[in-house]
Structures are given as structure tokens and as C-alpha cells.
Amino acid sequence: MLDLLASTGTKEILEFIRSQSQPIRSTEINKHFTEKGTSISLTTATIYRRLKELELAGFIIRRPPDSSTYILTPQAEDILDRQILQHPEITELKRSHRALLHQIKQHKDINVVELQEKAKMSPTTINVGLQKLSSLGLIKPEFPVEKKIMGPGRPKKRHKLTKKGEKVYKVQKKLEQVK
């Protein structure tokens, strides 16, 4: 579900359907997002793919059935009202970033080398993910303060979740369990 929300145009389509006072046809959605003046420009294929994905995920339903007119489900309204709008950074995280967040949550205090062993990801993926998580304020890097004599080289940065990271992690877990 979170991967669908992270897809380009999904949130915009949901917000557009939500802003309408009555059920809206797929052709009107397509017309709105293929025009030049909108905040995001989507292709027709992307729009219809997102509509099908949203319908399969249970975010939108056809009214009446077997028509091309859509409305939001109560579940989608609830998710939009509670989680996504309060924590927009949830939908910006790719699956690999969420996996890193999970590993940091599980191991409390972990460095990049340990993340490579635990998460089984490439160093580049880990570094990009850590930068993204840090820029969103979900983790904080710290250098260990140890009294023992350090070996050659600089000390390894350790990563911990921030309070905001803890909250986002809990919301993500709830969203992953909803279907």
C-alpha cells in the first residue's frame, strides 16, 4: 500500500477525487491531469494505471458498479485525514528506505557496515537511503564517544531514530497492515 502511495500522481489523484462534491468520471480525471496548467503532468496511461491500482487497493470504488465514475472509500478518507496529511514524509520513502528505517529501529544503534550485513543492500543504496532519512529528520547520525583507544581511520558513524522517526515508523507499520 505504501508503494502505491509513493507512486507518482497517486496522492494528487486521490486529492482531486476527494475535492469533488460528486462522483467523478475517469475521463474528467484524465482531462484534469493532462492539461498544462496542473501542478503535476501525467500521461493518460499513468492516470488509468493509477486508477486501476487505487481501485484494487480499495482506495476508490466505482459508483454505480461497472461504470467509469469513481468515489473515495471510507478507508481512503480515513487514511487521508489521519496519517498521510499529518506525516507526508511517509509517502516519500521507497521500500529500501523503509527497510533501512526498520533495521535502524530494530538495532537501535547501527553503522553502515552493520547495515550492509543486516539489510543485504549495496553501499550506494544504504548511503542514499541514510541521506534521505536524515534529510526528513527521521534518523540522526552520531559519532561514538568511547574512552578506549581508537584504531586508525575516523570513527564510524552510528545511526539512531529520532522521535519523529519513531512516530513515522509506527504509522508505517499500521499502514502496511491495512488492506
Side-chain angles (χ1 to χ4, degrees):
M1 179 181 297
L2 288 172
D3 290 332
L4 174 60
L5 293 174
S7 299
T8 305
T10 303
K11 288 189 295 185
E12 290 82 1
I13 290 172
L14 285 173
E15 288 294 332
F16 181 68
I17 293 172
R18 184 182 195 194
S19 69
Q20 304 302 311
S21 60
Q22 57 191 15
I24 186 165
R25 299 183 56 79
S26 58
T27 54
E28 294 170 13
I29 296 169
N30 183 38
K31 183 180 176 185
H32 175 76
F33 286 106
T34 53
E35 290 176 351
K36 298 275 184 207
T38 58
S39 61
I40 185 170
S41 180
L42 301 172
T43 64
T44 301
T46 301
I47 292 166
Y48 285 103
R49 188 178 325 113
R50 293 295 176 263
L51 287 173
K52 185 67 175 175
E53 291 169 346
L54 288 168
E55 186 177 11
L56 290 173
F59 280 104
I60 58 176
I61 55 175
R62 295 174 188 249
R63 278 291 178 235
D66 297 330
S67 70
S68 62
T69 307
Y70 295 99
I71 62 169
L72 290 181
T73 61
Q75 173 193 3
E77 289 280 354
D78 184 48
I79 288 174
L80 285 171
D81 286 339
R82 291 189 183 180
Q83 288 108 6
I84 295 173
L85 296 180
Q86 292 177 2
H87 305 287
E89 63 274 358
I90 291 172
T91 58
E92 294 179 16
L93 297 179
K94 295 180 182 177
R95 185 175 299 201
S96 59
H97 299 155
R98 292 193 312 267
L100 285 174
L101 191 68
H102 177 72
Q103 290 296 326
I104 293 169
K105 167 73 174 160
Q106 298 293 25
H107 300 287
K108 306 285 186 223
D109 189 19
I110 193 166
N111 66 27
V112 175
V113 175
E114 294 167 348
L115 275 172
Q116 286 176 337
E117 294 169 2
K118 305 279 186 202
K120 307 269 191 263
M121 292 181 193
S122 73
T124 304
T125 303
I126 290 174
N127 286 329
V128 169
L130 290 175
Q131 288 175 355
K132 179 71 172 181
L133 292 172
S134 290
S135 69
L136 291 172
L138 303 179
I139 63 170
K140 60 180 176 183
E142 295 178 346
F143 288 102
V145 182
E146 299 175 359
K147 299 270 180 170
K148 68 179 187 175
I149 298 175
M150 301 291 289
R154 64 181 190 195
K156 304 238 183 311
K157 263 193 246 182
R158 317 251 344 141
H159 300 278
K160 294 181 180 181
L161 286 180
T162 61
K163 289 181 182 179
K164 181 180 179 181
E166 292 280 345
K167 290 177 185 175
V168 168
Y169 181 79
K170 289 177 186 174
V171 171
Q172 278 185 345
K173 285 299 167 193
K174 286 179 188 174
L175 281 173
E176 287 175 352
Q177 294 170 355
V178 172
K179 177 63 179 151

